[in-house]
Amino acid sequence: MPGKRNPTQPPFILAKEIWKAADDDRPNQYAAFRTDFVLDEIPEALMLFIRADNRYAIWINGRYLPAQQYSDYDFWRVYDRLPVQGTHLVKGLNSLAVLAYCQNEDSSTYRKGRPGLIFELRDEERVLAASGLNTKCSEVTGFEEGGEVEKVSEQLSYSFRYDATVTGDWTAAGFNDAQWTYARVIVSRTDIVFHKRPVEQCAVGERLPAVILSQGAYLRHTQDGLFHAASGLRMQRDFLSHDSECIKVPNEAYPVSLPSVDGIPLCARQGDGLFFLVDLGRESVGYVCLDLLLDASCDIDVGWGEHLDDLRVRSRIGDRNFAFSYRASSGKNSFFYPIKRIGARYLEVHIASRSATVYYVGLLPVCYPLPPAIIPVGLNGLQTRIYKTAVHTLQCCMHEHYEDTPWREQALYAMDGRNEMLFTFDAFGASGKDFAQSCLWLLALGLRQDGLLELCAPAKVAQEWTIPSFSLIWVISVYEYLSNTRDISFAGTIKPVMDRVLQCFALRAQEGLIANFEGYWNFYEWREGLDGTGKSNGTLCYDAPLNALYAMALDAAEAIYTLLEDETQAFIMRNRRETLIPLYREAFFNADTGDFRLGNDIHAFTLKPQLVQALSLLAGMCPDDGTKHALAHRLLSGCFQPECTLSHRLFVYQAMLPYESLREAVLTDTDARWGAMLQAGATSFWETEAAETEFGGGASRCHGWSAAPIYVYHRLLKNNAG
């Protein structure tokens, strides 16, 4: 575990950590908290200090205060310092309400800590409100708790079920909380050090414009207990019947726009209820928002997705459920879910009633604040569309840290994050420094006892899902961060983690080469022979990608140690790399064909993936300049199979860009591949080019690693701001 970085004195003077009255270790917990405070005069602003394990939402006098907990670890706690503007406040009695959520179960986006909330509201002279024994608490939040609630995915964990009929507007000023109990104070460790939030809060925008694409009646499948199944499965099995007369808007142009001030009446003439399909216009990320009028209480299922390849939202994929359920009350229902974001273009709504008035269904956008992107001069029309879509893709995958995809996982991986960091520096310059640094640090905090980094951060995953190669990519990323920032101070801070990672690999070296990690996921990318699923012949296995990445990490480490003026460590890194090079050539280089094989086992010996050639070039493994030049010129010839997917294609381009004669080929390849996605209707770039057929239909249509045109265009076109 790395040492403490930028610790502060505890920001809480009087506040105590609290949770629900009953000690409860179930997963997927919600709790509501309220406290009042009095103001003699309305100040310009107050300051709220707050931290939760692991999410919170805040209302001041019933008015939402946009903010969300930074993804942290229980051993490295991050607090938020939020200004509460005078426009939120009134003279006299004021209320502070907090909805707290604790997943309380490991996943790819959260490591289990302990349910808890701590907050303190202050002016310049005094504490006005603080969490403690006098804080009112209610377990009745409308949200179903526990592990029976369906999960969006194992990575993203729980979706939600909400019942609007069981609670009033407890966030409003003047709400009567006399029936509430008092919170339980948690005895906290005295050695806890709090850290300031390392990145800015995301901005929460106004309702995104949307249109109703289709509407009609649905008939619920009655077999297999689907009435009680997960909402995503129920929706996927419902029979849909489009009805143009279901929507009652005379003289209205179609499709009908949302939000609607007067409301859009819908009326199904048959079936178990009505459905409608909403289009946000492009891939978007935010908090789901409903504004509906119902004649009577009823159940509503809402699913979300990135495409309509099934002529409906794909709300169920395997055991993944891209849906939630909502029990509506009679009358107006205005609701949004500020705990977890969703990534989607389309939302599908099934209402167990034949009539409803729709004012809005869609998202409140949640975006990390960034300046306008730097546009390279010289882009043609197609390249301009590609570049802007790539920037949008990247921004959809940036919130409190980089995310692989906002739809399916929202997880920080070293591989994905490395690509996204490079794209951020190109598109946003120095504005991306703090964000990139915080992601590298968050990954470093996931250092395991074995010297490898956790698969995701902050997270806890089983050893068999740990990817050794990603720890090497993290080391390479640290150097690439320093190359863009010259942040020597951070290099010193991160050095102990880098030492541990490199030592882990050095201890595995068999005469200089690194053998595969038994009991781990020896993954490089989603291609045959590279995805870690192959069988060995029972002997010690050596893979070219792992050893090439090790050589690149040693090269990066040498440069970092040199910056830190640690010549001893720099010499050790250089010596290890020089020892590795001839062994690598002997094991993987084919002198007759001038290229590199995948590995030393029977199957890998015959494979020559494009990725292996690119990594071998970048690691300096060719025996001479002539071989290097010839291999670089063959990279896009189609002779190396399997070809790289979008995730690792950046390595191919990086291996080719040093050659002036190959730059046009890189540009042509980029335009063709990413242009094809645009032609297919993409509004953000996909996880793979064949998204529909990959991963059982579960490939994402917005993936941060696929914003590679940003990198290419900034190197092949003039890099002046346009």
Side-chain angles (χ1 to χ4, degrees), residues 638-701:
C639 62
F640 297 119
Q641 298 296 326
E643 288 195 342
C644 284
T645 65
L646 297 175
S647 64
H648 287 62
R649 203 153 192 86
L650 182 63
F651 287 119
V652 175
Y653 296 153
Q654 287 180 314
M656 297 175 67
L657 286 174
Y659 297 93
E660 185 75 32
S661 59
L662 295 180
R663 293 182 176 181
E664 188 62 33
V666 170
L667 198 61
T668 300
D669 190 76
T670 302
D671 292 352
R673 292 180 186 276
W674 275 264
M677 283 184 273
L678 288 184
Q679 191 171 6
T683 62
S684 57
F685 288 130
W686 305 343
E687 186 173 10
T688 66
E689 292 170 86
E692 173 55 28
T693 60
E694 300 276 12
F695 314 132
S700 81
R701 303 295 176 96

Side-chain angles (χ1 to χ4, degrees), residues 10 30 88 182 204 229 265 285 372 400 507 513 571 610:
Y30 294 84
H88 281 72
Y182 287 100
V204 180
V285 184
E400 62 261 24
L507 291 173
L513 284 177
F571 173 79
Q610 187 183 39

